[in-house]
């Protein structure tokens, strides 16, 4: 045994040998309780706390979202007989953004203004809040357009300048790019209606 360890071991052994049987039992129990408390604390602080993320009527959508999130390192958990997906509570905001921006999962009904408001808590940065709001607005406009007759799918991309960075916001107006998949030809009048709808939402 190395000399340094001997210097530590011998005094400890001498103190242990000097204890009575009852004292040894009490000391062992105290050490055991402390170790157990330490293990429990480590488990509580390191375990993943899952929160509800999305519900699905199509199992393929759930699998696509689950794979997209896992590819980004976000832990997921299927519940409710495989119809609901739960995610790591610390990654809830990131999961919303990833799902909405992924080409495969972006068409699945996702982030709404209610979600954006609920997620915009103290731990959310101003840039995250702004991105959440823009993503939510894109989703809601697209969902609104899909209710129009003849519109099968709608994709909306908004460009909304941060007015805090500009003295004259009028020179940096918001713009929108809209792509519609139609089941029939659209007239000029119907196209103008879509344009007015999108403009009114900006």
């Amino acid at each position: 045994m190395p000399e340094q360890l001997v210097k530590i071991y011998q005094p400890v052994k001498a103190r242990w040998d000097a204890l009575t049987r009852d004292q040894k039992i009490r000391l062992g129990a105290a050490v055991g309780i402390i170790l157990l408390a330490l293990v429990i604390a480590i488990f509580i602080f390191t375990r993943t706390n899952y929160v509800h993320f999305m519900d699905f009527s199509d199992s393929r959508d759930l699998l696509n979202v689950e794979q997209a999130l896992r590819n980004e390192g976000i832990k997921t958990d299927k519940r409710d007989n495989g119809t609901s997906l739960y995610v790591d509570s610390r990654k809830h905001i990131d999961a919303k953004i990833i799902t909405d921006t992924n080409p495969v999962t972006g068409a699945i009904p996702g982030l709404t203004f209610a979600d954006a408001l609920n997620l915009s808590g103290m731990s959310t940065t101003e840039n995250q809040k702004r991105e959440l709001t823009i993503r939510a607005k894109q989703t809601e406009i697209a969902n609104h357009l899909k209710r129009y007759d003849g519109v099968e799918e709608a994709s909306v991309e908004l460009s909304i300048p941060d007015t805090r960075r500009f003295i004259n916001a009028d020179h940096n107006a918001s713009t929108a790019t809209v792509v519609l998949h139609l089941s029939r030809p659209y007239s000029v009048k119907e196209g103008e209606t879509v344009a007015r709808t999108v403009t009114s939402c900006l």
Side-chain angles (χ1 to χ4, degrees), residues 141 144-145 148 192-202:
I141 294 174
H144 181 71
L145 294 177
Y148 279 37
E192 291 175 347
T193 300
V194 170
R196 283 196 297 271
T197 298
V198 175
T199 301
S200 66
C201 295
L202 295 177

Side-chain angles (χ1 to χ4, degrees), residues 21-94:
R21 183 174 180 277
D22 289 342
Q23 288 175 325
K24 289 179 179 179
I25 292 174
R26 287 197 294 269
L27 180 59
V31 171
I33 292 173
I34 293 173
L35 291 176
L36 178 61
L38 183 60
V39 170
I40 293 174
I42 292 174
F43 172 76
I44 291 174
F45 286 109
T46 58
R47 71 173 179 173
T48 301
N49 181 33
Y50 290 99
V51 295
H52 180 265
F53 182 57
M54 291 178 72
D55 294 316
F56 300 85
S57 58
D58 190 329
S59 61
R60 291 172 299 180
D61 288 341
L62 186 149
L63 292 175
N64 286 333
V65 171
E66 183 180 38
Q67 187 61 51
L69 296 179
R70 287 186 175 179
N71 288 343
E72 297 295 330
I74 295 180
K75 295 180 180 179
T76 62
D77 183 30
K78 291 194 290 287
R79 298 184 185 179
D80 303 324
N81 295 321
T83 61
S84 298
L85 194 64
Y86 284 64
V87 299
D88 184 346
S89 60
R90 295 166 294 185
K91 297 290 185 178
H92 198 198
I93 295 173
D94 295 332

